[in-house]
């Protein structure tokens, strides 16, 4: 039987994030073979993952990343089962490293198959499921492209947003961050009126009509009043029409145009956990 040194145990721990005793046991079982020990830990992760496959993994860390020229952004969520794990520094570090890698991929499937520290991302998630003892998975994977993309991560990594602007002008970085903070705080349902799903519009009109009937309004007036209420819904729930949280005297669209008269918000994405 090979003699297992503390340095070897520490090396395996650094490579996998597994606990010292788990690493020592894996090295003993592998008779000192480092690669085989990693495989043993990975198989342990597969067993834990199989047992916890039906668990709810609604906690975790949402991380937004933007490429060097601010034209592409990605938001991923690394999901787990408990807030205790989600707040762990090593878990957040892993989420951040995975987001750095994700910026280079268009599809979640390709990202999961990508190489990460000698194994695929999917294999790393399985390994960490064994290490941590909770279901670990990539929940959200959202991309955004624009002439300028900015990002915002809310304290605690529970909400992450990306915002696209129509041009890379002076002040674009600050404007994009401000609007990304707006999207995080106000949770708009769409960018503008055109982006609101018809089913949501139909539901809002029906709710408005029901309220008006209960107030005793005549049936022939319901459509007109409901349309007015729908306009209010668009103002409150679409990003560019919302009151700007830093200055409620102007809308988000007006704020962006105050930075540059031709500047517009072209898109956003928002990922929230917990």
């Amino acid at each position: 039987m090979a003699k297992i040194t503390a340095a070897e145990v520490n090396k395996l721990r650094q490579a996998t994030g597994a606990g010292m005793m788990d690493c020592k046991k894996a090295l003993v079982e592998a008779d000192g073979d480092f690669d085989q020990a990693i495989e043993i830990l990975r198989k342990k992760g597969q067993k834990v993952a199989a047992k916890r496959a039906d668990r709810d993994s609604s906690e975790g860390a949402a991380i937004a990343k933007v490429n060097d020229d601010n034209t592409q952004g990605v938001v991923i969520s690394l999901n787990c089962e408990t807030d205790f794990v989600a707040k762990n520094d090593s878990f957040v570090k892993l989420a951040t490293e995975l987001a750095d890698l994700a910026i280079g991929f268009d599809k979640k499937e390709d990202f999961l198959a990508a190489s990460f520290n000698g194994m695929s991302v999917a294999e790393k998630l399985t390994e960490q499921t064994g290490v941590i003892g909770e279901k670990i998975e990539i929940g959200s994977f959202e991309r955004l492209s624009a002439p300028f993309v900015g990002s915002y991560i809310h304290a605690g990594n529970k909400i992450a947003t990306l915002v696209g602007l129509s041009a890379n002008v002076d002040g674009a970085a600050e404007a994009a961050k401000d609007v990304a903070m707006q999207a995080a705080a106000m949770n708009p349902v769409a960018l503008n009126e055109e982006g609101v799903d018809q089913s949501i519009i139909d539901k809002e009109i029906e709710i408005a009509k029901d309220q008006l009937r209960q107030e005793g309004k005549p049936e022939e007036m319901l459509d007109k009043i409901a349309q007015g209420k729908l306009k209010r819904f668009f103002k409150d729930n679409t990003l560019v029409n919302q009151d700007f949280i830093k200055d409620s005297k102007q809308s988000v669209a007006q704020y962006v145009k105050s930075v540059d008269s031709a500047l517009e918000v072209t898109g956003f994405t928002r990922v929230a956990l917990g």
Side-chain angles (χ1 to χ4, degrees), residues 207-229:
I207 290 171
K209 285 183 177 180
D210 285 344
Q211 290 173 342
L212 292 166
R213 288 188 187 102
Q214 290 171 25
E215 293 168 9
K217 295 289 192 295
E219 194 70 26
E220 63 270 16
M221 293 178 62
L222 297 188
D223 277 331
K224 186 175 181 180
I225 302 174
Q227 287 300 321
K229 286 182 174 288

mmCIF file with all atom_site columns, all heavy atoms in Angstrom, residues 207-229:
data_model
loop_
_atom_site.group_PDB
_atom_site.id
_atom_site.type_symbol
_atom_site.label_atom_id
_atom_site.label_alt_id
_atom_site.label_comp_id
_atom_site.label_asym_id
_atom_site.label_entity_id
_atom_site.label_seq_id
_atom_site.pdbx_PDB_ins_code
_atom_site.Cartn_x
_atom_site.Cartn_y
_atom_site.Cartn_z
_atom_site.occupancy
_atom_site.B_iso_or_equiv
_atom_site.pdbx_formal_charge
_atom_site.auth_seq_id
_atom_site.auth_comp_id
_atom_site.auth_asym_id
_atom_site.auth_atom_id
_atom_site.pdbx_PDB_model_num
ATOM 1   N N   . ILE A 1 207 ? -58.681 41.315 -15.751 1.00 0.00 ? 207 ILE A N   1
ATOM 2   C CA  . ILE A 1 207 ? -58.642 41.719 -14.332 1.00 0.00 ? 207 ILE A CA  1
ATOM 3   C C   . ILE A 1 207 ? -59.236 43.118 -14.166 1.00 0.00 ? 207 ILE A C   1
ATOM 4   O O   . ILE A 1 207 ? -60.037 43.364 -13.260 1.00 0.00 ? 207 ILE A O   1
ATOM 5   C CB  . ILE A 1 207 ? -57.191 41.676 -13.790 1.00 0.00 ? 207 ILE A CB  1
ATOM 6   C CG1 . ILE A 1 207 ? -56.706 40.227 -13.675 1.00 0.00 ? 207 ILE A CG1 1
ATOM 7   C CG2 . ILE A 1 207 ? -57.095 42.374 -12.434 1.00 0.00 ? 207 ILE A CG2 1
ATOM 8   C CD1 . ILE A 1 207 ? -55.223 40.091 -13.363 1.00 0.00 ? 207 ILE A CD1 1
ATOM 9   N N   . ALA A 1 208 ? -58.825 44.021 -15.064 1.00 0.00 ? 208 ALA A N   1
ATOM 10  C CA  . ALA A 1 208 ? -59.326 45.398 -14.998 1.00 0.00 ? 208 ALA A CA  1
ATOM 11  C C   . ALA A 1 208 ? -60.837 45.440 -15.168 1.00 0.00 ? 208 ALA A C   1
ATOM 12  O O   . ALA A 1 208 ? -61.541 46.140 -14.419 1.00 0.00 ? 208 ALA A O   1
ATOM 13  C CB  . ALA A 1 208 ? -58.645 46.248 -16.064 1.00 0.00 ? 208 ALA A CB  1
ATOM 14  N N   . LYS A 1 209 ? -61.353 44.677 -16.118 1.00 0.00 ? 209 LYS A N   1
ATOM 15  C CA  . LYS A 1 209 ? -62.806 44.663 -16.361 1.00 0.00 ? 209 LYS A CA  1
ATOM 16  C C   . LYS A 1 209 ? -63.563 44.103 -15.153 1.00 0.00 ? 209 LYS A C   1
ATOM 17  O O   . LYS A 1 209 ? -64.626 44.619 -14.777 1.00 0.00 ? 209 LYS A O   1
ATOM 18  C CB  . LYS A 1 209 ? -63.129 43.845 -17.613 1.00 0.00 ? 209 LYS A CB  1
ATOM 19  C CG  . LYS A 1 209 ? -62.787 44.555 -18.918 1.00 0.00 ? 209 LYS A CG  1
ATOM 20  C CD  . LYS A 1 209 ? -63.202 43.706 -20.113 1.00 0.00 ? 209 LYS A CD  1
ATOM 21  C CE  . LYS A 1 209 ? -62.946 44.426 -21.421 1.00 0.00 ? 209 LYS A CE  1
ATOM 22  N NZ  . LYS A 1 209 ? -63.352 43.614 -22.594 1.00 0.00 ? 209 LYS A NZ  1
ATOM 23  N N   . ASP A 1 210 ? -63.035 43.064 -14.542 1.00 0.00 ? 210 ASP A N   1
ATOM 24  C CA  . ASP A 1 210 ? -63.671 42.489 -13.360 1.00 0.00 ? 210 ASP A CA  1
ATOM 25  C C   . ASP A 1 210 ? -63.733 43.505 -12.228 1.00 0.00 ? 210 ASP A C   1
ATOM 26  O O   . ASP A 1 210 ? -64.758 43.630 -11.539 1.00 0.00 ? 210 ASP A O   1
ATOM 27  C CB  . ASP A 1 210 ? -62.910 41.242 -12.895 1.00 0.00 ? 210 ASP A CB  1
ATOM 28  C CG  . ASP A 1 210 ? -63.163 40.029 -13.779 1.00 0.00 ? 210 ASP A CG  1
ATOM 29  O OD1 . ASP A 1 210 ? -64.141 40.069 -14.561 1.00 0.00 ? 210 ASP A OD1 1
ATOM 30  O OD2 . ASP A 1 210 ? -62.381 39.061 -13.703 1.00 0.00 ? 210 ASP A OD2 1
ATOM 31  N N   . GLN A 1 211 ? -62.636 44.242 -12.038 1.00 0.00 ? 211 GLN A N   1
ATOM 32  C CA  . GLN A 1 211 ? -62.609 45.272 -10.995 1.00 0.00 ? 211 GLN A CA  1
ATOM 33  C C   . GLN A 1 211 ? -63.636 46.370 -11.278 1.00 0.00 ? 211 GLN A C   1
ATOM 34  O O   . GLN A 1 211 ? -64.341 46.825 -10.376 1.00 0.00 ? 211 GLN A O   1
ATOM 35  C CB  . GLN A 1 211 ? -61.201 45.876 -10.889 1.00 0.00 ? 211 GLN A CB  1
ATOM 36  C CG  . GLN A 1 211 ? -60.160 44.933 -10.306 1.00 0.00 ? 211 GLN A CG  1
ATOM 37  C CD  . GLN A 1 211 ? -58.754 45.495 -10.378 1.00 0.00 ? 211 GLN A CD  1
ATOM 38  O OE1 . GLN A 1 211 ? -58.481 46.429 -11.143 1.00 0.00 ? 211 GLN A OE1 1
ATOM 39  N NE2 . GLN A 1 211 ? -57.850 44.954 -9.580  1.00 0.00 ? 211 GLN A NE2 1
ATOM 40  N N   . LEU A 1 212 ? -63.716 46.765 -12.536 1.00 0.00 ? 212 LEU A N   1
ATOM 41  C CA  . LEU A 1 212 ? -64.644 47.835 -12.929 1.00 0.00 ? 212 LEU A CA  1
ATOM 42  C C   . LEU A 1 212 ? -66.103 47.394 -12.754 1.00 0.00 ? 212 LEU A C   1
ATOM 43  O O   . LEU A 1 212 ? -66.955 48.189 -12.345 1.00 0.00 ? 212 LEU A O   1
ATOM 44  C CB  . LEU A 1 212 ? -64.380 48.246 -14.378 1.00 0.00 ? 212 LEU A CB  1
ATOM 45  C CG  . LEU A 1 212 ? -63.029 48.960 -14.613 1.00 0.00 ? 212 LEU A CG  1
ATOM 46  C CD1 . LEU A 1 212 ? -62.709 49.022 -16.102 1.00 0.00 ? 212 LEU A CD1 1
ATOM 47  C CD2 . LEU A 1 212 ? -63.023 50.348 -14.002 1.00 0.00 ? 212 LEU A CD2 1
ATOM 48  N N   . ARG A 1 213 ? -66.379 46.139 -13.081 1.00 0.00 ? 213 ARG A N   1
ATOM 49  C CA  . ARG A 1 213 ? -67.740 45.616 -12.885 1.00 0.00 ? 213 ARG A CA  1
ATOM 50  C C   . ARG A 1 213 ? -68.119 45.646 -11.398 1.00 0.00 ? 213 ARG A C   1
ATOM 51  O O   . ARG A 1 213 ? -69.248 46.007 -11.034 1.00 0.00 ? 213 ARG A O   1
ATOM 52  C CB  . ARG A 1 213 ? -67.852 44.182 -13.422 1.00 0.00 ? 213 ARG A CB  1
ATOM 53  C CG  . ARG A 1 213 ? -67.841 44.079 -14.937 1.00 0.00 ? 213 ARG A CG  1
ATOM 54  C CD  . ARG A 1 213 ? -68.143 42.670 -15.409 1.00 0.00 ? 213 ARG A CD  1
ATOM 55  N NE  . ARG A 1 213 ? -67.977 42.549 -16.857 1.00 0.00 ? 213 ARG A NE  1
ATOM 56  C CZ  . ARG A 1 213 ? -66.908 41.991 -17.436 1.00 0.00 ? 213 ARG A CZ  1
ATOM 57  N NH1 . ARG A 1 213 ? -65.920 41.498 -16.693 1.00 0.00 ? 213 ARG A NH1 1
ATOM 58  N NH2 . ARG A 1 213 ? -66.814 41.935 -18.746 1.00 0.00 ? 213 ARG A NH2 1
ATOM 59  N N   . GLN A 1 214 ? -67.151 45.256 -10.552 1.00 0.00 ? 214 GLN A N   1
ATOM 60  C CA  . GLN A 1 214 ? -67.401 45.262 -9.114  1.00 0.00 ? 214 GLN A CA  1
ATOM 61  C C   . GLN A 1 214 ? -67.630 46.689 -8.591  1.00 0.00 ? 214 GLN A C   1
ATOM 62  O O   . GLN A 1 214 ? -68.329 46.882 -7.594  1.00 0.00 ? 214 GLN A O   1
ATOM 63  C CB  . GLN A 1 214 ? -66.235 44.613 -8.369  1.00 0.00 ? 214 GLN A CB  1
ATOM 64  C CG  . GLN A 1 214 ? -66.130 43.108 -8.595  1.00 0.00 ? 214 GLN A CG  1
ATOM 65  C CD  . GLN A 1 214 ? -64.844 42.510 -8.037  1.00 0.00 ? 214 GLN A CD  1
ATOM 66  O OE1 . GLN A 1 214 ? -64.244 43.067 -7.116  1.00 0.00 ? 214 GLN A OE1 1
ATOM 67  N NE2 . GLN A 1 214 ? -64.421 41.395 -8.598  1.00 0.00 ? 214 GLN A NE2 1
ATOM 68  N N   . GLU A 1 215 ? -67.040 47.668 -9.290  1.00 0.00 ? 215 GLU A N   1
ATOM 69  C CA  . GLU A 1 215 ? -67.234 49.067 -8.912  1.00 0.00 ? 215 GLU A CA  1
ATOM 70  C C   . GLU A 1 215 ? -68.533 49.644 -9.487  1.00 0.00 ? 215 GLU A C   1
ATOM 71  O O   . GLU A 1 215 ? -68.870 50.806 -9.232  1.00 0.00 ? 215 GLU A O   1
ATOM 72  C CB  . GLU A 1 215 ? -66.043 49.902 -9.401  1.00 0.00 ? 215 GLU A CB  1
ATOM 73  C CG  . GLU A 1 215 ? -64.732 49.576 -8.692  1.00 0.00 ? 215 GLU A CG  1
ATOM 74  C CD  . GLU A 1 215 ? -63.520 50.195 -9.380  1.00 0.00 ? 215 GLU A CD  1
ATOM 75  O OE1 . GLU A 1 215 ? -63.724 51.018 -10.305 1.00 0.00 ? 215 GLU A OE1 1
ATOM 76  O OE2 . GLU A 1 215 ? -62.379 49.868 -9.001  1.00 0.00 ? 215 GLU A OE2 1
ATOM 77  N N   . GLY A 1 216 ? -69.239 48.823 -10.292 1.00 0.00 ? 216 GLY A N   1
ATOM 78  C CA  . GLY A 1 216 ? -70.518 49.254 -10.831 1.00 0.00 ? 216 GLY A CA  1
ATOM 79  C C   . GLY A 1 216 ? -70.434 50.073 -12.099 1.00 0.00 ? 216 GLY A C   1
ATOM 80  O O   . GLY A 1 216 ? -71.414 50.733 -12.492 1.00 0.00 ? 216 GLY A O   1
ATOM 81  N N   . LYS A 1 217 ? -69.289 50.021 -12.801 1.00 0.00 ? 217 LYS A N   1
ATOM 82  C CA  . LYS A 1 217 ? -69.149 50.782 -14.046 1.00 0.00 ? 217 LYS A CA  1
ATOM 83  C C   . LYS A 1 217 ? -70.005 50.146 -15.145 1.00 0.00 ? 217 LYS A C   1
ATOM 84  O O   . LYS A 1 217 ? -70.100 48.912 -15.223 1.00 0.00 ? 217 LYS A O   1
ATOM 85  C CB  . LYS A 1 217 ? -67.675 50.823 -14.477 1.00 0.00 ? 217 LYS A CB  1
ATOM 86  C CG  . LYS A 1 217 ? -66.751 51.567 -13.518 1.00 0.00 ? 217 LYS A CG  1
ATOM 87  C CD  . LYS A 1 217 ? -66.986 53.059 -13.559 1.00 0.00 ? 217 LYS A CD  1
ATOM 88  C CE  . LYS A 1 217 ? -65.898 53.833 -12.838 1.00 0.00 ? 217 LYS A CE  1
ATOM 89  N NZ  . LYS A 1 217 ? -65.841 53.587 -11.396 1.00 0.00 ? 217 LYS A NZ  1
ATOM 90  N N   . PRO A 1 218 ? -70.608 50.970 -16.027 1.00 0.00 ? 218 PRO A N   1
ATOM 91  C CA  . PRO A 1 218 ? -71.424 50.446 -17.127 1.00 0.00 ? 218 PRO A CA  1
ATOM 92  C C   . PRO A 1 218 ? -70.589 49.576 -18.066 1.00 0.00 ? 218 PRO A C   1
ATOM 93  O O   . PRO A 1 218 ? -69.426 49.882 -18.349 1.00 0.00 ? 218 PRO A O   1
ATOM 94  C CB  . PRO A 1 218 ? -71.910 51.705 -17.855 1.00 0.00 ? 218 PRO A CB  1
ATOM 95  C CG  . PRO A 1 218 ? -71.723 52.817 -16.874 1.00 0.00 ? 218 PRO A CG  1
ATOM 96  C CD  . PRO A 1 218 ? -70.581 52.444 -15.998 1.00 0.00 ? 218 PRO A CD  1
ATOM 97  N N   . GLU A 1 219 ? -71.203 48.507 -18.583 1.00 0.00 ? 219 GLU A N   1
ATOM 98  C CA  . GLU A 1 219 ? -70.502 47.547 -19.438 1.00 0.00 ? 219 GLU A CA  1
ATOM 99  C C   . GLU A 1 219 ? -69.906 48.213 -20.675 1.00 0.00 ? 219 GLU A C   1
ATOM 100 O O   . GLU A 1 219 ? -68.797 47.861 -21.102 1.00 0.00 ? 219 GLU A O   1
ATOM 101 C CB  . GLU A 1 219 ? -71.475 46.439 -19.857 1.00 0.00 ? 219 GLU A CB  1
ATOM 102 C CG  . GLU A 1 219 ? -70.802 45.206 -20.451 1.00 0.00 ? 219 GLU A CG  1
ATOM 103 C CD  . GLU A 1 219 ? -70.017 44.393 -19.428 1.00 0.00 ? 219 GLU A CD  1
ATOM 104 O OE1 . GLU A 1 219 ? -70.340 44.430 -18.230 1.00 0.00 ? 219 GLU A OE1 1
ATOM 105 O OE2 . GLU A 1 219 ? -69.057 43.718 -19.852 1.00 0.00 ? 219 GLU A OE2 1
ATOM 106 N N   . GLU A 1 220 ? -70.620 49.207 -21.259 1.00 0.00 ? 220 GLU A N   1
ATOM 107 C CA  . GLU A 1 220 ? -70.134 49.844 -22.485 1.00 0.00 ? 220 GLU A CA  1
ATOM 108 C C   . GLU A 1 220 ? -68.883 50.704 -22.254 1.00 0.00 ? 220 GLU A C   1
ATOM 109 O O   . GLU A 1 220 ? -68.192 51.073 -23.206 1.00 0.00 ? 220 GLU A O   1
ATOM 110 C CB  . GLU A 1 220 ? -71.243 50.703 -23.128 1.00 0.00 ? 220 GLU A CB  1
ATOM 111 C CG  . GLU A 1 220 ? -71.729 51.864 -22.293 1.00 0.00 ? 220 GLU A CG  1
ATOM 112 C CD  . GLU A 1 220 ? -72.890 51.483 -21.378 1.00 0.00 ? 220 GLU A CD  1
ATOM 113 O OE1 . GLU A 1 220 ? -73.115 50.260 -21.159 1.00 0.00 ? 220 GLU A OE1 1
ATOM 114 O OE2 . GLU A 1 220 ? -73.570 52.394 -20.896 1.00 0.00 ? 220 GLU A OE2 1
ATOM 115 N N   . MET A 1 221 ? -68.572 50.999 -20.981 1.00 0.00 ? 221 MET A N   1
ATOM 116 C CA  . MET A 1 221 ? -67.382 51.809 -20.687 1.00 0.00 ? 221 MET A CA  1
ATOM 117 C C   . MET A 1 221 ? -66.159 50.963 -20.340 1.00 0.00 ? 221 MET A C   1
ATOM 118 O O   . MET A 1 221 ? -65.044 51.472 -20.253 1.00 0.00 ? 221 MET A O   1
ATOM 119 C CB  . MET A 1 221 ? -67.680 52.753 -19.510 1.00 0.00 ? 221 MET A CB  1
ATOM 120 C CG  . MET A 1 221 ? -68.707 53.824 -19.810 1.00 0.00 ? 221 MET A CG  1
ATOM 121 S SD  . MET A 1 221 ? -69.027 54.842 -18.333 1.00 0.00 ? 221 MET A SD  1
ATOM 122 C CE  . MET A 1 221 ? -67.403 55.554 -18.031 1.00 0.00 ? 221 MET A CE  1
ATOM 123 N N   . LEU A 1 222 ? -66.383 49.669 -20.151 1.00 0.00 ? 222 LEU A N   1
ATOM 124 C CA  . LEU A 1 222 ? -65.306 48.816 -19.619 1.00 0.00 ? 222 LEU A CA  1
ATOM 125 C C   . LEU A 1 222 ? -64.081 48.765 -20.517 1.00 0.00 ? 222 LEU A C   1
ATOM 126 O O   . LEU A 1 222 ? -62.941 48.846 -20.039 1.00 0.00 ? 222 LEU A O   1
ATOM 127 C CB  . LEU A 1 222 ? -65.827 47.390 -19.373 1.00 0.00 ? 222 LEU A CB  1
ATOM 128 C CG  . LEU A 1 222 ? -66.934 47.245 -18.325 1.00 0.00 ? 222 LEU A CG  1
ATOM 129 C CD1 . LEU A 1 222 ? -67.201 45.767 -18.039 1.00 0.00 ? 222 LEU A CD1 1
ATOM 130 C CD2 . LEU A 1 222 ? -66.589 47.975 -17.031 1.00 0.00 ? 222 LEU A CD2 1
ATOM 131 N N   . ASP A 1 223 ? -64.276 48.609 -21.829 1.00 0.00 ? 223 ASP A N   1
ATOM 132 C CA  . ASP A 1 223 ? -63.131 48.492 -22.750 1.00 0.00 ? 223 ASP A CA  1
ATOM 133 C C   . ASP A 1 223 ? -62.237 49.725 -22.690 1.00 0.00 ? 223 ASP A C   1
ATOM 134 O O   . ASP A 1 223 ? -61.013 49.613 -22.595 1.00 0.00 ? 223 ASP A O   1
ATOM 135 C CB  . ASP A 1 223 ? -63.618 48.265 -24.183 1.00 0.00 ? 223 ASP A CB  1
ATOM 136 C CG  . ASP A 1 223 ? -63.932 46.804 -24.464 1.00 0.00 ? 223 ASP A CG  1
ATOM 137 O OD1 . ASP A 1 223 ? -63.289 45.945 -23.831 1.00 0.00 ? 223 ASP A OD1 1
ATOM 138 O OD2 . ASP A 1 223 ? -64.817 46.528 -25.279 1.00 0.00 ? 223 ASP A OD2 1
ATOM 139 N N   . LYS A 1 224 ? -62.860 50.899 -22.751 1.00 0.00 ? 224 LYS A N   1
ATOM 140 C CA  . LYS A 1 224 ? -62.098 52.144 -22.769 1.00 0.00 ? 224 LYS A CA  1
ATOM 141 C C   . LYS A 1 224 ? -61.307 52.338 -21.473 1.00 0.00 ? 224 LYS A C   1
ATOM 142 O O   . LYS A 1 224 ? -60.119 52.676 -21.493 1.00 0.00 ? 224 LYS A O   1
ATOM 143 C CB  . LYS A 1 224 ? -63.032 53.329 -22.994 1.00 0.00 ? 224 LYS A CB  1
ATOM 144 C CG  . LYS A 1 224 ? -62.295 54.652 -23.165 1.00 0.00 ? 224 LYS A CG  1
ATOM 145 C CD  . LYS A 1 224 ? -63.257 55.778 -23.502 1.00 0.00 ? 224 LYS A CD  1
ATOM 146 C CE  . LYS A 1 224 ? -62.496 57.095 -23.690 1.00 0.00 ? 224 LYS A CE  1
ATOM 147 N NZ  . LYS A 1 224 ? -63.417 58.221 -24.010 1.00 0.00 ? 224 LYS A NZ  1
ATOM 148 N N   . ILE A 1 225 ? -61.968 52.097 -20.334 1.00 0.00 ? 225 ILE A N   1
ATOM 149 C CA  . ILE A 1 225 ? -61.282 52.272 -19.043 1.00 0.00 ? 225 ILE A CA  1
ATOM 150 C C   . ILE A 1 225 ? -60.187 51.218 -18.864 1.00 0.00 ? 225 ILE A C   1
ATOM 151 O O   . ILE A 1 225 ? -59.103 51.506 -18.370 1.00 0.00 ? 225 ILE A O   1
ATOM 152 C CB  . ILE A 1 225 ? -62.285 52.210 -17.877 1.00 0.00 ? 225 ILE A CB  1
ATOM 153 C CG1 . ILE A 1 225 ? -63.364 53.289 -18.036 1.00 0.00 ? 225 ILE A CG1 1
ATOM 154 C CG2 . ILE A 1 225 ? -61.570 52.401 -16.544 1.00 0.00 ? 225 ILE A CG2 1
ATOM 155 C CD1 . ILE A 1 225 ? -64.470 53.214 -17.011 1.00 0.00 ? 225 ILE A CD1 1
ATOM 156 N N   . ALA A 1 226 ? -60.475 49.986 -19.316 1.00 0.00 ? 226 ALA A N   1
ATOM 157 C CA  . ALA A 1 226 ? -59.495 48.902 -19.193 1.00 0.00 ? 226 ALA A CA  1
ATOM 158 C C   . ALA A 1 226 ? -58.245 49.201 -20.015 1.00 0.00 ? 226 ALA A C   1
ATOM 159 O O   . ALA A 1 226 ? -57.116 48.878 -19.599 1.00 0.00 ? 226 ALA A O   1
ATOM 160 C CB  . ALA A 1 226 ? -60.113 47.577 -19.626 1.00 0.00 ? 226 ALA A CB  1
ATOM 161 N N   . GLN A 1 227 ? -58.419 49.821 -21.168 1.00 0.00 ? 227 GLN A N   1
ATOM 162 C CA  . GLN A 1 227 ? -57.262 50.201 -21.986 1.00 0.00 ? 227 GLN A CA  1
ATOM 163 C C   . GLN A 1 227 ? -56.398 51.230 -21.263 1.00 0.00 ? 227 GLN A C   1
ATOM 164 O O   . GLN A 1 227 ? -55.178 51.215 -21.353 1.00 0.00 ? 227 GLN A O   1
ATOM 165 C CB  . GLN A 1 227 ? -57.730 50.744 -23.343 1.00 0.00 ? 227 GLN A CB  1
ATOM 166 C CG  . GLN A 1 227 ? -58.252 49.689 -24.299 1.00 0.00 ? 227 GLN A CG  1
ATOM 167 C CD  . GLN A 1 227 ? -57.229 48.621 -24.652 1.00 0.00 ? 227 GLN A CD  1
ATOM 168 O OE1 . GLN A 1 227 ? -56.047 48.915 -24.832 1.00 0.00 ? 227 GLN A OE1 1
ATOM 169 N NE2 . GLN A 1 227 ? -57.682 47.377 -24.756 1.00 0.00 ? 227 GLN A NE2 1
ATOM 170 N N   . GLY A 1 228 ? -57.052 52.125 -20.541 1.00 0.00 ? 228 GLY A N   1
ATOM 171 C CA  . GLY A 1 228 ? -56.308 53.105 -19.744 1.00 0.00 ? 228 GLY A CA  1
ATOM 172 C C   . GLY A 1 228 ? -55.512 52.430 -18.639 1.00 0.00 ? 228 GLY A C   1
ATOM 173 O O   . GLY A 1 228 ? -54.356 52.793 -18.377 1.00 0.00 ? 228 GLY A O   1
ATOM 174 N N   . LYS A 1 229 ? -56.110 51.452 -18.003 1.00 0.00 ? 229 LYS A N   1
ATOM 175 C CA  . LYS A 1 229 ? -55.417 50.691 -16.958 1.00 0.00 ? 229 LYS A CA  1
ATOM 176 C C   . LYS A 1 229 ? -54.253 49.886 -17.546 1.00 0.00 ? 229 LYS A C   1
ATOM 177 O O   . LYS A 1 229 ? -53.217 49.704 -16.906 1.00 0.00 ? 229 LYS A O   1
ATOM 178 C CB  . LYS A 1 229 ? -56.395 49.762 -16.227 1.00 0.00 ? 229 LYS A CB  1
ATOM 179 C CG  . LYS A 1 229 ? -57.338 50.488 -15.270 1.00 0.00 ? 229 LYS A CG  1
ATOM 180 C CD  . LYS A 1 229 ? -58.237 49.504 -14.549 1.00 0.00 ? 229 LYS A CD  1
ATOM 181 C CE  . LYS A 1 229 ? -59.086 50.197 -13.479 1.00 0.00 ? 229 LYS A CE  1
ATOM 182 N NZ  . LYS A 1 229 ? -58.291 50.607 -12.306 1.00 0.00 ? 229 LYS A NZ  1
#
